[in-house]
Amino acid sequence: MGQSGCRSCGATLERTFVNLGMSPLANSYIKHDQLNLMEPFYPLHVYVCEKCLLVQLKQFSTPHDIFSDYAYFSSFSDSWLAHAKAYVDMIVGRFRLDSSSKVVEIASNDGYLLQNFVSRGISALGVEPASNIAEVAKKKGIHTKVAFFGEKTALDLAADGWVADLIIGNNVLAHVPDLNDFVNGLKVLLKPKGLITMEFPHLLQLMQQNQFDTIYHEHFSYFSFLAVEQVFTRRGMKLFDVEELSTHGGSLRIYACHNDDTSKPIEARAKELKLREETAGLGQLSHYLSFGLRVEVTKRKFLSFLISAKQQGKHIVGYGAPAKGNTLLNYCGVRTDLIDYTVDRSPHKQGRFLPGVHIPIYEPERVRDTRPDYLLILPWNIREEVMRQMSYIREWGGKFIVPIPEVQVYS
């Protein structure tokens, strides 16, 4: 199953970016009756391509294992819904989309974004591989095709009249094992003067903010602007603009079009970001090879903090059951000997257990009942939101812990 070459340029992968050991699939939450069954663990060993500098995992699990029945519903996050609406307002205005336009979103989830186009009378189609989530979108009246996207799906959609003015992909490009087939599909489906926007976590932020817990099997690739530009250039497209977003700890939204589309000149932001990445070292292999050591130091500090708190008789519980938390806890070997339980707002996760470490997941009210000394915020990217929601822990002197980039305690 494992591919040996770089998924962008095909060069041999030999250099380690970071090795987080063996880990279960980050979204494979465990039910009570599965606690004594064997769990599959796969290597979380991340490589950097010496030739094109794309940071990537080799493929061990199939996308089908991960995404056919997926536990992540976008509509449970208020901040993400607001982000989607703001995007639609911006893109419709900037590129003058109207009722004659066609919009296709890849990995459209439960229709959280496309509903904003539909309400404006703009034709929209979602392509979503998880049938359980696609059903939710269909019930909202959003036209959704259950499929994995690639060149074949794109040809089918084009034949059905869905050649697009705008193709959207939020947090999907990193999840694609066959990157070149996926980008070929984008080119096939795009009108001559159409545009593509893709959002994904930014490798520059991952490295600068030490966000190693955002590495998991669902994320096959970790993109810098320099590396992703090469992927599109090889397929006859150019990146003409880019925005830096705060989502997921720091993301990029790239804008792509056909190479021969002269109506979209390359914007200053794109030139500026390339220069900044080069200055930060992202054009040099040596810069990537130093990251693993920093991660090991963080692990030791995190464990030292938890162990010393437990030795003082303190109780620590988690907030959230995000995929990133599963990477962190499995890499650090943190189980119920250090964290009593975690809580999550999503009813799809409550009553289950975190994969690998088997920490139970409850509803948020349990925190008030058990009055822990520390609340460990696993989705650190929404720490302010969590601190507001859970501010009542201060009534009994409870404190917040944020594990990334380094362990920090907030009273």
Side-chain angles (χ1 to χ4, degrees), residues 119-294:
S119 65
R120 291 166 176 261
I122 296 173
S123 300
L125 171 73
V127 182
E128 170 55 55
S131 50
N132 63 320
I133 293 181
E135 277 313 306
V136 177
K138 287 177 184 171
K139 283 184 185 136
K140 294 180 190 170
I142 293 154
H143 197 47
T144 306
K145 183 178 171 77
V146 178
F148 282 101
F149 186 79
E151 195 167 0
K152 186 189 172 307
T153 302
L155 289 165
D156 292 346
L157 293 174
D160 288 343
W162 276 102
V163 180
D165 296 278
L166 170 64
I167 302 175
I168 307 164
N170 288 349
N171 301 305
V172 61
L173 197 63
H175 294 72
V176 175
D178 193 342
L179 192 55
N180 292 329
D181 174 64
F182 183 89
V183 178
N184 276 341
L186 296 177
K187 188 166 173 61
V188 164
L189 201 57
L190 191 64
K191 281 188 184 171
K193 292 268 187 286
L195 78 136
I196 297 164
T197 72
M198 294 264 142
E199 292 179 24
F200 45 80
H202 189 192
L203 180 70
L204 179 70
Q205 298 297 334
L206 184 150
M207 294 185 75
Q208 287 181 344
Q209 308 296 320
N210 195 29
Q211 299 165 349
F212 66 88
D213 59 341
T214 59
I215 292 169
Y216 28 95
H217 300 103
E218 283 92 325
H219 284 184
F220 293 114
S221 306
Y222 301 82
F223 296 107
S224 64
F225 188 70
L226 293 168
V228 78
E229 185 180 49
Q230 293 181 56
V231 175
F232 279 81
T233 303
R234 262 191 225 103
R235 298 285 165 259
M237 288 183 281
K238 66 179 179 187
L239 301 190
F240 68 90
D241 196 6
V242 64
E243 282 175 88
E244 292 174 84
L245 310 170
S246 61
T247 51
H248 296 286
S251 296
L252 292 184
R253 175 187 291 148
I254 57 170
Y255 292 73
C257 63
H258 292 292
N259 260 345
D260 51 10
D261 180 355
T262 51
S263 68
K264 299 179 180 70
I266 293 182
E267 304 280 345
R269 292 191 288 196
K271 296 173 184 164
E272 188 275 325
L273 180 58
K274 274 178 82 164
L275 193 64
R276 191 152 31 99
E277 285 195 347
E278 275 160 0
T279 309
L282 291 179
Q284 259 82 48
L285 180 66
S286 56
H287 180 63
Y288 296 86
L289 303 180
S290 60
F291 186 66
L293 294 170
R294 183 176 177 196

